[in-house]
Each structure stands twice: as structure tokens, then as C-alpha cells.
Amino acid sequence: MDQDELAARITQAGDEGSTTLDLSGEGLKYLPPEIGSLTALSRLDLYRNQLTALPPEIGNLIALINLRLWSNQLTVLPPEIGNLTGLTDLRLTSNRLTALPREIGNLTSLTQLNLRRNQLAALPREMGNLTGLHGPRLRENQLAAPPLAHGTLTGLTPRPLGAP
């Protein structure tokens, strides 16, 4: 999808007041700041693209409940991700994340968090605020110590090691 097609899809979604937008598998290398104008979105699918970063304007999407970003090339998340306090499902599997912003601790509505197959060596202490998570998926990272061992995710229900 070229820039003009992407801009047209975003404009159309805004004009229609869409609550969902599926841009998965479109070969996107970037997401334009205009995405931040879609404040009615409750679900945004961006999986199977080539995104390396998200614009700070992603933090404007405060109605988001589901954000699917798996199978991209994300190395960082903007701190503005912490504005998405209604988010219940965040999928970041198979990216290149090396760290998470402290602001991820603001996502206290999260019940599903999938961080498998990244390059995380540590988790921010603020993830301890995410007490509603049902076993965050953390396998296939570079975590030096199990998160529950150093207290980062105290109070969470961990999945058994063999669970998907």
C-alpha cells in the first residue's frame, strides 16, 4: 500500500466514524501521524507489516480496546502508548523490542499482553501495576531472571512454562 492509499484509508475511516481499522499485511513501513485522528477506533490491526516505530499520535486513540502489532519490526514503543488506558488486549509478538516504556504501567485495563519473540532483557517495574493480566506471554525473550522472581509482576497469574 502506498502513502496515498494509506492516507485515503485513514481519511475514509475517520469520515465514517469507524470503530475498527484493519491494515494488517499491507507492507506498511510507517504509520502516518494522521492515525491519531481516529479517536473512535476500538480495534486497530497492524499485524504482519514492516513497522519499526509508531508515531506518538497513537496515544490519541483513547477508545482503543484491541491493538494488534504482532509480526512487525518494532524496536521501541512511544511513551504515549500509556495514554491507551482502556486497552484490554495488546499483542506485540514477533517484533524486535529491546525495552518497554515505563508508561506501559498505565495500561491497567490490560487483561491480555503478548510479548513473545522479542529481545526484552528486562521489564519496567511499572508493569507491576498491571494486576488484571491473565498470564503475560513472555517466552522467547532475553529476560535475565523470571519476572515473578524479581517481583516485577507480583500478583499476576503466570502461565505454565509449556503453555502457548
Side-chain angles (χ1 to χ4, degrees):
M1 175 179 298
D2 68 26
Q3 292 178 358
D4 292 337
E5 290 173 308
L6 179 57
R9 291 268 308 267
I10 291 172
T11 299
Q12 179 182 5
D15 291 347
E16 294 174 356
S18 296
T19 58
T20 63
L21 181 60
D22 186 353
L23 295 171
S24 58
E26 296 287 351
L28 302 177
K29 294 183 188 232
Y30 83 102
L31 197 58
E34 290 78 14
I35 195 74
S37 68
L38 302 179
T39 56
L41 285 183
S42 62
R43 179 176 175 154
L44 178 57
D45 290 327
L46 294 166
Y47 56 89
R48 289 190 341 251
N49 279 296
Q50 298 170 17
L51 299 172
T52 57
L54 297 174
E57 291 80 5
I58 198 83
N60 296 348
L61 306 181
I62 58 173
L64 272 185
I65 296 170
N66 296 301
L67 179 55
R68 296 182 175 159
L69 292 160
W70 48 272
S71 293
N72 275 285
Q73 297 175 24
L74 296 171
T75 56
V76 296
L77 296 175
E80 291 81 4
I81 198 93
N83 296 348
L84 307 179
T85 57
L87 204 59
T88 61
D89 187 354
L90 178 57
R91 299 182 190 193
L92 292 159
T93 303
S94 298
N95 276 285
R96 297 179 180 174
L97 295 170
T98 57
L100 297 173
R102 300 182 334 212
E103 292 80 3
I104 200 155
N106 297 344
L107 305 181
T108 56
S109 296
L110 275 181
T111 58
Q112 301 293 319
L113 176 61
N114 197 328
L115 291 164
R116 291 180 59 210
R117 292 187 211 120
N118 277 285
Q119 299 171 13
L120 297 170
L123 299 174
R125 185 168 309 280
E126 291 79 3
M127 280 188 67
N129 298 339
L130 308 181
T131 57
L133 282 180
H134 299 295
R137 295 179 179 179
L138 300 167
R139 292 185 332 177
E140 300 176 60
N141 275 287
Q142 299 172 6
L143 296 170
L148 296 174
H150 61 67
T152 302
L153 298 177
T154 303
L156 299 182
T157 307
R159 290 190 186 275
L161 287 178

